[in-house]
Each structure stands twice: as structure tokens, then as C-alpha cells.
Amino acid sequence: MNSTPTTGTLNGPIPDRAARPAAVWAAISRHALVAAQLFGAALLVHLYAIEGPAFERVFLLATAGFIVNLALPMSMRLPFFVMLSIVGVVIVFGVGDAAWLLAVGMCLIAICHLPVPFGARVVILAAAGGLLAVSRGGVIAAPWSAAVWPILGSMFMFRLVLYMLAQKTAKTAAGPWWWPVAYFFMLPNLVFPLFPVIDYQTFRRTYYDKKEEAIHEQGMLWIARGLVHLLLYRFVYHFVLNDPADVIKLSDVVQFMLGTFLLYLRVSGQFHLIVGILHLFGFRLPETHKLYYLASSFTELWRRINIYWTEFMMKAVFYPTYFKVKRFGPRAALVLSTTAVFLTTWILHSYQWFWLRGGFPLTLQDTLFWGILGALVIYGALKELKAVKKVNQRTADWSWKRGLQAAVTFSIFCFLWSLWSTDSVMNWVWMLGAVANVDALGVAMVLATFGVIFVLGGRNWEASRSAGPQWLAVVSKPAMRTTLALAVLLIVSQPVVRGAAPKPLAGALQALHTTGLNAHDAALQHRGYYEQLDVRAQVNAEVLDVVGRNGAKWDDPASVGIIRDRKDLLLRDLYPSRSVDWNGNRFSTNSVGMRDKEYTLEKAPRTLRVALLGPSHVMGNGVADGETFESLVEDRLNREFHLQGYDRFEILNFAVDGYSMAQQVAMLEEKALAYSPDIVIATHYHPGQFVTQHFILKVAWGGIPVQDESLRAILAGAKLDPMAREGSVGVPFAAGRALAGWLGMKVRMPYGESEARARWIAEDVLDWSFRKLSAVSTAHGAVPVVLVLNAVIDDAPEEVPNGQSLERAQLRTLDLYRIFPEAERPALRVAPWDNHPNAAGHRLIAARLYEQLVGVLESGAVSTTASTGARHQFDGGHSR
Amino acid sequence: MSMRDTVRSFILENFLPGEDPKNLTDDTELKESGILDSMSTLKLVTFLEEHFGVEFEAEDLEAGNLASIENIERLVQSKLAAKS
């Protein structure tokens, strides 16, 4: 506890002469260790692809900058940090956007220093902010790219308030111009739009105010901790988090609640990295998060989770309100000022959203979350106020009372957090209904979670550090903890370790390397506040667009005018006779809307036709006309392959972006069969069941007529007959709707419930699709075949999903499931941000597909199948 | 009793019961070490106002002013000086 300031390079006493060489060498060795750790951390950032390429560049810049910073005299260090941050702006944004960001930022800083009264400066700042808000809202076009907004917003939306508060007190107003520049353009802020609200006075007051070695070591420890948090987040996101639509029993509810709360590790991980990097340059800022999962009350939780926000609210709202109303007595003043804090927090979360993502969402679950949390904190604060003496947390080692309080606080907060993380309150209520379905695993999970928090939360973590055996004291030193953490992460990152680990552990280790969205989020959208705001790099995506794509414009198919919506089971198809430039490639459709050349409806004699159905990677997103594997295989068959009875091969590409298997079957019936194919190839890929679920929801909510009786029966069985979406209230549970209907309300199923129901029947619909593919093709004399082919993804499951469905339908497969070797994937993708195969990827597919297709054509089984009721036959006799 | 000792006694009695007084020095970091949180800050300020007859403003509660017993004494002294 006794934290007497240690000697410092800037303001501490100089060691005596005799001790100086030893002290110098000790300092040098500590600096060298931090530098080595920093290089190790940079390696880990690269190996795990932490936070994307933009962060890697900034981290490398910070690593190099740290070495230079060490070599500089103290007076040069702050200007150097400013210079480094400005170089970072240019590296991240390029010269054009960087110039705008710096110019706008400098103007805002200049307004803070105008030689006019304080109130006038505030009014001018508000006007400037209003003008920027109008532009951010899209009313006036900004001359800079979209990537600038989140970072500009992040730099100024809160810090300007704190900077002006500091100006008001005038204690820290004076000083060289680089102080405000360093404060607003902090290097890590360039890649982290969600940024701790750093207080300007603290920023200045703590700059190299202690021994520099200790500050750098602390920073390095927090960087290591941040890396651990971010990798744990990945594990939770890819391994623990489940989908609300999958929640059917108590264990699912517990898993969802734990998973969503644990996702907050991303925020604490980012904040540790940010503050850790700033420590490397001397800014000894306070800890951002402190054992928040073990808080023993809601007031304690509020103080420990995002400490900077709490401090910001204390300074900007709580204390000013409290001192204004304290004449009403301490209890009333406490209630009023805490209410003001939560009201402001609630509004400012939407304000933050506006600057980072655009839009101004104020949802019911948002209101409920902040309202309930505010009430709980007020209750806790009143209890603390009533207590004569505060409990000294530094004494007892372990307390069952503290443990119990921590477990209860954690449980209630998980519950609240899950409300904040769902799409709507009704979906949340629907999901909670699964609690009634108690299972042994669920009970065990509740008890285990409660028990773990009880044991860990009951421990006095502050007191325990000073006690314990000698080895523990050594291991607990920041430098040792950092080294150990980095070493473990480095070992775990090695493929040989993954290879040697048992299967479940290997899967978990693989999750640490997986950078994209998880399977569900890739297909649909379900995210909590921080998730949507930043956690899965939604905000960074705009920055990464600029960095990763070098400013290239990247369009989706709908935005270039090649896709149109339909009110039948196809849901969408391609416009006929279109030719556009799409992300640098020519994309053309023929007169019937195939991404292919023209074919006559009537098949020429001695021609073998293949109808190819599939989603985007079959349609050829990201490659030019003539580069698709379909086109390459067709050319090669005609060039190299000879089959008795046939002079020509034609492969007709009916694939459309986003197609599920059900839509492929609909396309077969709608267009492909008219071309008399001999073989029908439909494409199954790893998120096949997810896209089928999406298909069901679109059919149900879109009022799409379903002619097929079997499919209609499946939908009706799940109560997903086409339903009215407008003008009615979403009420969960059939009983709830019946009751509301009885009361005269016009009700409907909430979207979340329909999602869950769609999930339940997605496999049945996929089964139906395979059966229908088989039946319809065979009935028309064509051989049905399923091509199993993914886009160039990293996290595909080991086994082909829905393999049993394929077996049940007795469909022949062309298996290209593992076609893209892990090491070669980056070279086979359209772009780092686009997993579709590029031209090289299509060539690889074409080569392998050719071999397998020839195998099908050569096989007697095909010949036999085709001859049973076929109008066109190929008997398998051939020569190559 | 000096102003520092008065403040120290109040902190020890109210926020650190059972603590060895030797551990609370004049430059012990009160905010960073978690001794002073929002509630204890309010209690401390109320005590200082009542005991020394000074009045605080919201901006006086800036972290640096209450960072240590030494800083608190400096703040109260400046208030007393301004009053007289």
C-alpha cells in the first residue's frame, strides 16, 4: 500500500556515484528486457493476426518508436511521440485522408484556444461539432473517406469535453502545443475507434512521473494481458458463444449468457493494449479494467469495468450534479447525481454510436439495461453511504461473504448483459422461456459458474500479492509475468503444438487463430452493443477498407445492379443481358440471366449438357468473365476429353450469389430443366444449413407462395407459414399470442422466435432440397450430382456438414471440400477481406473438378442412371 | 494534531479499519490504490468541509488534488488562504 514515488529520470534523485554504474546497468538490462518482450509481442500480433493488418503496422511503428524513444533525452520524447502519431496517421489513412483528419483535428484544437471567453469557445465548438454531425449524418458530403469518421469521432467526441474542463480550471492549460496534439492524436487511437476516455489532466500529470523502467514494464505487462484477453475472446467467440436461435434448454441459456458477457474481453483486451502502448512512451495512465468479473456489488462493478468511463462520468456529471443539489441532503443528492450519470451514459452510448457507426439507436433493451443497472448502482451506493465504516479490503485473505456477493453480482449482470445483447426484448423473453426446460448439464453449468466466481471472488487479490512463498513473489513480478504470458502464447501458436494436442484442445487452439466472424455471424446478424460497435471489427472495417484495399472501392453484387429480388422461391436472380465492371472485373450475363455465354434452348445433337447450380463462389464473384471454373472445365472437356456418342460438352452456369440448396432446386425447375441437361450439379457448402435457415425466414416473412406440399408441411409444422409482418405486435410463445389475441390484440411471432423455429427445421428443409434435387433431375433424365465446395475459408469443420442428408438422398458427390491447402489460401482468395476464390483459385477448382467430372462421365453407374428414363444417354464408353 | 494527521486519522478510521497506520504515509496514492472511490471521496469532502470550515467545488475533486494526504492538505490550505 505504501506507494512512495520511486526515483525518476525526470524528477527523481540521482543515485550516488558509487551506486551509479550498477544502477545504470540494472536500468539498461530492464530496458533491454522490455524491448525483447515488445519484439516478442509484435511477433505474436503477426502470428495471431491480432486486430488486423492496420494494428500490426501501428504496433510495429510503436515497437520501433519505443527504441528511439529510449535513446532520446527526456525533453525530446513528447515531440517525438507527436511525430510518431502523425506518421501513424499517414500510414493508416494515406496522405489525403490523413491531411483531412489532421486539419479538422487541428481546427478543433485551435477553437479551444481562441482568445475569447470560455463560454464563447464552447459555443463555437458546439457549432463546429454540429456541422460535423450534419456531415456524419449524411446531409452534407464530407471530402474525406468514410474511414476517417470513426477515428475522428473517437478522438474528439469525449476528449474535447475533458480538454475544455481542463481549460476551465486553467491548471494544465499552459504548455507546449504538442501536449494537445499528443492527447488528441494518440498513436493507438488510429486503429481503435472504441477508445478509453482518457482525462487530459491525468494524461499530463502522470507523464514520466515515476521511474521510466517501471512505467515501461507496466505497459508491457498490460500489452501481454491485452493479447491474452483478445485471444480468450476469440476462444469464447468461436468456441463458447451460441446462437439465440439454438437456445432450447437451460444449458443453452447459461451458455448464451456466459458467452455474451465474456465477449466483453475484447473491449478490456483492446483497452489494455492501448494503455500499455501509451505506457511505453511514458504515459503512466491508470488501469482501465480491474477484475470486473469478480466485483462484489454493482457499485464495485461500475467502478471496475471501464474505469475511465466511470471517472469521466464522475468528473463531468456526478460531482457537478452532486455539488449543485447537495443542499437537499446526501441521500437525495446521491440519488439525483447517480441518476444523472446513468441517464447521460445511456444517451452517450447512442452518441458514441452515432460518431463511430452513424445512426442514433435508442432501443428498449438499451433503456432497460441502463435503467436497471442504474437502479442497482443507486441501491448499492445508498447502502455504502449508510455504512459508517468502509470494509477494509486489504485485510482478510478470503471471505465467504465477499465470494457470495461476487457470485450473485456476476449472475445478475450476466442476465442483464444478455438483455442488452439480444435483438429485441421479445426475443430475449422467448429465449428465456428455455430455462423451463431444465437439463442436468444446465444445472451443472449454473453451479459450476456460481462456484468458480464464489471461490475466486471471495479471495482478496490485493492482499494475497504481498504474502505467499518466495517463488510466487518472483513469478508475480511484472517482467516475469509478461515473459511467461508471451512465451506461452508463442508456444501455443506453433502448428506442431496444435498438431500434437488432443482433438478438442486442438480445436480450441485453432479458434485462437481464427480471425473472421463465427459461422452464425457470417450468415446472420446478432450482436450486443460492443459487438456491433466494434468487437468484431465492424468499426475497424472502415479503417481496414482503406488500409487493406489501398482505397479501392469494393462493391457487393446488389450495389452494381446485377441482382434483382423475386417474389418466388428463387428470392433473387441475375438480371439478363447485363455487363458491368464489378470490383475491377467484367461481369456479364446472357439473355436469360446466366453468368455465362449464350446457349440455345434446344440442345444440339451429340452434345452433353451439364447444368451447374450454386452460390457466389460458383457464380464467380471476384473473377472476370471466362475465368470461372465452369468456363475452364467446359473448355478443357471440349479440348481434351472424348466420350463415345458425344462431340461437344456444355456447362451452363445457373449459379447466383447467396443461393441455398432450396433456391438451387427452384432454379433447376425454373430455368435449367428447359435446357435438357444430362447432368445436374448443385453445390453444397459449409454454411449450407445457415443459408437454408435464412431462406426459410425470407420465405416466411416475405409471404412467398410455396407450391410444394412437402415443403409447405415442413414450414407449417414449425408454424412458419407465410406470416404478416406489418401492423402487429410481436408476442413470444403460442400461449402468449393466444392470450393477446383473446384480448383483441393483433399479434405475430417475434422475429427471434421465428429464427429459432427456422433453425429447428433447417436440416429438414435441406433434406427436402436434396431429395427434390434427386427426384426432379432423375425424372427429367438427368444425373443429379452434388458438388461439395467451399469458398476459401479457414474455419470449415473437419467433416462435410450435413453429410447424412446427402447419404439419405443417395446423391453422388464431387468432393472438393478440402481443395484449398491452408498455406496457399491467402494466394487463392480474391482479397484478404473477400474469401471468394480468385482466378488462381478457380483454376485449381477447375483442375480438380475436371478429374472428378471425367470420373463421373466414365463411370458405369452414371450411364446406368442416365439410361433409366433418360432422353439423352451417355453409355460410359469413351477414350481420352 | 496537524492537518495531515487529522486527515490520516479520518481515512484510517473510516476507510481502512484495522490497517497499520505506518502503511498510510503522506504520499500514499489514495486514488490509484483504491482507498478513495467515489463514495469515500464524498465522505472525505464532507468531513473536510465540516472540520476545516471550507467549501469545495466539483472541480476541486480532480484526481490530482486528492491523490495523497499531502495534496489534500495543499488543497485545504489553498481554500483556507482564499477564505481569509
Side-chain angles (χ1 to χ4, degrees):
Chain A
M1 187 184 78
N2 192 341
S3 54
T4 309
T6 48
T7 54
T9 312
L10 191 64
N11 49 11
I14 299 167
D16 62 62
R17 270 182 198 183
R20 194 178 291 169
V24 168
W25 279 112
I28 288 174
S29 61
R30 288 174 75 180
H31 286 317
L33 180 59
V34 170
Q37 289 169 338
L38 193 54
F39 279 109
L43 181 63
L44 288 171
V45 167
H46 175 73
L47 288 173
Y48 286 101
I50 298 282
E51 300 297 302
F55 176 68
E56 188 175 334
R57 289 180 201 181
V58 166
F59 198 81
L60 282 175
L61 185 66
T63 304
F66 171 72
I67 306 297
V68 178
N69 186 64
L70 275 182
L72 289 174
M74 194 58 70
S75 59
M76 296 289 291
R77 289 187 179 183
L78 188 63
F80 173 70
F81 178 73
V82 169
M83 191 204 75
L84 199 68
S85 298
I86 290 172
V87 169
V89 175
V90 177
I91 288 175
V92 171
F93 291 97
V95 176
D97 276 346
W100 278 114
L101 180 64
L102 291 167
V104 174
M106 293 295 188
C107 285
L108 290 171
I109 295 171
I111 292 171
C112 300
H113 292 273
L114 283 176
V116 294
F118 181 80
R121 278 179 279 156
V122 171
V123 170
I124 297 169
L125 268 180
L131 195 66
L132 287 170
V134 168
S135 184
R136 178 58 168 143
V139 180
I140 305 169
W144 50 80
S145 75
V148 172
W149 278 119
I151 301 300
L152 181 67
S154 171
M155 285 172 167
F156 290 91
M157 64 183 165
F158 297 128
R159 264 180 261 163
L160 264 180
V161 176
L162 289 163
Y163 188 69
M164 287 305 285
L165 280 174
Q167 293 279 307
K168 194 179 175 189
T169 60
K171 283 179 189 169
T172 44
W177 63 269
W178 46 72
W179 269 114
V181 181
Y183 177 63
F184 286 107
F185 294 101
M186 281 179 238
L187 181 65
N189 204 167
L190 303 175
V191 280
F192 290 117
L194 194 62
F195 204 79
V197 186
I198 294 171
D199 178 50
Y200 183 62
Q201 286 169 309
T202 309
F203 183 71
R204 287 193 61 166
R205 182 169 47 81
T206 56
Y207 183 66
Y208 278 123
D209 66 339
K210 288 199 173 181
K211 204 167 184 173
E212 63 177 333
E213 299 91 288
I215 296 175
H216 298 158
E217 283 171 355
Q218 184 67 61
M220 205 49 241
L221 176 66
W222 285 350
I223 287 172
R225 194 185 289 174
L227 292 175
V228 172
H229 282 203
L230 289 173
L231 291 175
L232 283 174
Y233 159 80
R234 273 191 196 169
F235 172 78
V236 170
Y237 180 58
H238 288 282
F239 225 68
V240 177
L241 187 66
N242 57 346
D243 183 343
D246 278 339
V247 172
I248 52 173
K249 51 191 184 300
L250 176 63
S251 55
D252 300 328
V253 176
V254 177
Q255 189 181 345
F256 179 76
M257 288 187 176
L258 280 176
T260 48
F261 191 23
L262 290 173
L263 285 180
Y264 188 77
L265 281 166
R266 177 85 183 263
V267 179
S268 64
Q270 287 185 341
F271 280 22
H272 273 94
L273 276 184
I274 290 164
V275 178
I277 291 171
L278 290 171
H279 268 69
L280 297 179
F281 295 93
F283 302 100
R284 197 185 59 81
L285 296 164
E287 199 166 10
T288 64
H289 294 76
K290 192 172 187 178
L291 297 172
Y292 50 94
Y293 288 130
L294 303 179
S296 58
S297 69
F298 284 96
T299 38
E300 197 61 37
L301 179 69
W302 175 245
R303 286 179 197 128
R304 289 182 179 191
I305 194 166
N306 199 351
I307 293 166
Y308 285 40
W309 181 264
T310 312
E311 289 296 320
F312 172 50
M313 282 294 99
M314 296 309 292
K315 187 168 186 168
V317 180
F318 182 82
Y319 289 136
T321 311
Y322 186 89
F323 279 88
K324 275 198 177 73
V325 298
K326 72 175 180 181
R327 64 181 181 280
F328 300 125
R331 289 175 67 82
L334 187 65
V335 171
L336 287 171
S337 45
T338 311
T339 303
V341 164
F342 278 89
L343 198 62
T344 311
T345 299
W346 169 57
I347 292 167
L348 288 187
H349 270 72
S350 285
Y351 166 80
Q352 175 170 259
W353 185 291
F354 172 77
W355 285 110
L356 301 194
R357 297 209 63 192
F360 204 86
L362 283 175
T363 62
L364 179 59
Q365 58 269 37
D366 209 34
T367 311
L368 283 172
F369 175 79
W370 289 112
I372 296 169
L373 184 60
L376 289 167
V377 170
I378 288 171
Y379 171 74
L382 286 173
K383 264 181 73 177
E384 280 187 25
L385 187 70
K386 199 176 170 186
V388 178
K389 288 177 182 174
K390 185 179 170 182
V391 176
N392 184 2
Q393 299 288 342
R394 299 167 182 286
T395 50
D397 264 355
W398 194 86
S399 151
W400 68 268
K401 194 177 171 188
R402 189 167 46 215
L404 191 64
Q405 287 171 335
V408 170
T409 304
F410 182 86
S411 305
I412 295 175
F413 202 69
C414 271
F415 182 76
L416 263 184
W417 195 271
S418 69
L419 165 65
W420 205 28
S421 302
T422 45
D423 299 333
S424 75
V425 176
M426 286 305 174
N427 286 352
W428 183 68
V429 173
W430 156 255
M431 189 192 69
L432 288 185
V435 170
N437 191 3
V438 178
D439 59 330
L441 179 63
V443 174
M445 286 169 76
V446 169
L447 292 175
T449 306
F450 201 86
V452 167
I453 302 296
F454 174 70
V455 172
L456 295 177
R459 188 177 180 200
N460 185 347
W461 292 91
E462 296 295 329
S464 59
R465 290 212 181 119
S466 57
Q470 183 65 30
W471 67 266
L472 192 60
V474 174
V475 172
S476 300
K477 285 187 173 174
M480 189 59 79
R481 282 154 65 196
T482 305
T483 307
L484 281 174
L486 295 176
V488 168
L489 293 182
L490 201 59
I491 292 166
V492 165
S493 73
Q494 300 308 305
V496 66
V497 175
R498 241 184 303 160
K503 208 171 179 183
L505 181 60
L509 295 179
Q510 179 58 41
L512 301 182
H513 285 269
T514 308
T515 54
L517 298 180
N518 69 14
H520 175 254
D521 280 352
L524 293 172
Q525 300 287 312
H526 128 250
R527 298 186 294 256
Y529 177 83
Y530 287 111
E531 293 303 285
Q532 293 180 62
L533 196 55
D534 179 54
V535 166
R536 294 174 202 164
Q538 298 296 312
V539 179
N540 289 19
E542 287 180 335
V543 178
L544 292 173
D545 278 356
V546 173
V547 178
R549 300 172 189 180
N550 294 321
K553 192 166 174 283
W554 204 255
D555 294 311
D556 59 42
S559 66
V560 289
I562 55 174
I563 299 266
R564 65 183 178 186
D565 289 335
R566 292 177 57 130
K567 292 292 277 180
D568 56 22
L569 287 183
L570 288 175
L571 297 175
R572 61 195 329 218
D573 69 354
L574 298 176
Y575 280 109
S577 305
R578 284 283 160 103
S579 185
V580 298
D581 182 59
W582 179 22
N583 296 331
N585 293 305
R586 180 55 43 181
F587 185 100
S588 308
T589 58
N590 67 14
S591 57
V592 287
M594 283 184 248
R595 206 262 166 112
D596 214 331
K597 60 191 175 210
E598 293 291 346
Y599 292 93
T600 56
L601 195 61
E602 192 66 30
K603 188 166 62 175
R606 299 178 65 79
T607 298
L608 190 144
R609 258 186 186 170
V610 178
L612 178 63
L613 303 151
S616 54
H617 54 289
V618 179
M619 184 181 84
N621 289 35
V623 294
D625 294 343
E627 290 182 335
T628 60
F629 70 80
E630 167 272 319
S631 181
L632 300 174
V633 171
E634 184 186 68
D635 288 349
R636 188 173 170 193
L637 283 171
N638 285 312
R639 204 170 52 241
E640 299 178 15
F641 185 66
H642 302 286
L643 188 65
Q644 192 176 353
Y646 296 96
D647 296 333
R648 181 164 179 75
F649 301 95
E650 290 177 347
I651 304 180
L652 284 61
N653 191 348
F654 291 96
V656 177
D657 182 274
Y659 262 19
S660 63
M661 185 55 70
Q663 287 163 284
Q664 293 178 47
V665 172
M667 174 59 92
L668 175 66
E669 291 188 293
E670 169 79 16
K671 289 185 187 174
L673 288 174
Y675 285 83
S676 312
D678 301 289
I679 301 178
V680 171
I681 301 178
T683 308
H684 177 53
Y685 54 125
H686 114 275
Q689 197 165 318
F690 283 121
V691 289
T692 300
Q693 182 193 339
H694 211 37
F695 162 80
I696 296 165
L697 286 167
K698 282 191 172 173
V699 168
W701 287 100
I704 304 293
V706 178
Q707 307 299 338
D708 186 281
E709 279 185 24
S710 309
L711 180 58
R712 212 165 48 223
I714 296 171
L715 296 177
K719 302 192 189 314
L720 286 172
D721 317 68
M723 56 183 101
R725 185 169 189 169
E726 305 296 333
S728 54
V729 183
V731 176
F733 308 112
R737 285 189 289 278
L739 179 65
W742 183 73
L743 292 170
M745 290 169 69
K746 193 181 174 194
V747 294
R748 61 168 171 78
M749 188 185 291
Y751 192 76
E753 184 175 338
S754 69
E755 268 187 310
R757 290 175 180 277
R759 176 64 60 89
W760 297 344
I761 59 167
E763 192 172 358
D764 293 341
V765 173
L766 194 57
D767 261 347
W768 169 85
S769 307
F770 286 138
R771 286 199 309 272
K772 181 98 178 174
L773 168 71
S774 179
V776 170
S777 303
T778 309
H780 287 79
V783 179
V785 179
V786 171
L787 168 65
V788 185
L789 174 69
N790 287 329
V792 194
I793 53 173
D794 291 322
D795 57 349
E798 280 288 305
E799 303 296 327
V800 175
N802 309 102
Q804 289 184 337
S805 294
L806 280 168
E807 281 174 22
R808 279 195 292 271
Q810 295 184 315
L811 283 160
R812 176 184 286 269
T813 58
L814 298 167
D815 187 359
L816 300 185
Y817 189 65
R818 293 172 194 82
I819 189 172
F820 305 114
E822 187 175 350
E824 293 171 34
R825 283 176 202 152
L828 297 172
R829 287 190 181 105
V830 167
W833 59 89
D834 188 331
N835 286 335
H836 292 100
N838 58 16
H842 274 266
R843 284 196 295 275
L844 177 63
I845 298 168
R848 294 278 299 278
L849 180 61
Y850 176 85
E851 298 296 329
Q852 293 204 19
L853 193 56
V854 163
V856 170
L857 295 172
E858 286 173 342
S859 73
V862 169
S863 163
T864 306
T865 313
S867 63
T868 56
R871 285 171 290 141
H872 310 280
Q873 294 182 11
F874 49 99
D875 60 12
H878 65 279
S879 61
R880 290 178 77 177
Chain B
M1 196 185 264
S2 71
M3 186 181 287
R4 289 186 188 194
D5 289 338
T6 307
V7 174
R8 190 184 348 270
S9 297
F10 179 80
I11 291 173
L12 282 167
E13 192 181 329
N14 289 277
F15 310 143
L16 295 168
E19 187 69 58
D20 183 349
K22 279 188 289 190
N23 286 338
L24 185 63
T25 61
D26 289 348
D27 49 18
T28 297
E29 301 227 13
L30 302 174
K31 282 263 182 187
E32 278 185 33
S33 58
I35 296 168
L36 280 190
D37 55 33
S38 52
M39 292 305 299
S40 42
T41 299
L42 290 180
K43 285 184 177 179
L44 175 67
V45 165
T46 306
F47 167 76
L48 294 173
E49 285 186 334
E50 286 171 0
H51 194 87
F52 297 107
V54 290
E55 199 160 326
F56 285 93
E57 303 291 328
E59 53 258 39
D60 293 326
L61 273 53
E62 193 267 311
N65 287 339
L66 303 175
S68 63
I69 292 176
E70 199 176 351
N71 290 17
I72 292 170
E73 183 195 44
R74 202 176 302 138
L75 175 67
V76 176
Q77 294 286 16
S78 71
K79 289 271 169 197
L80 288 171
K83 200 176 163 188
S84 60

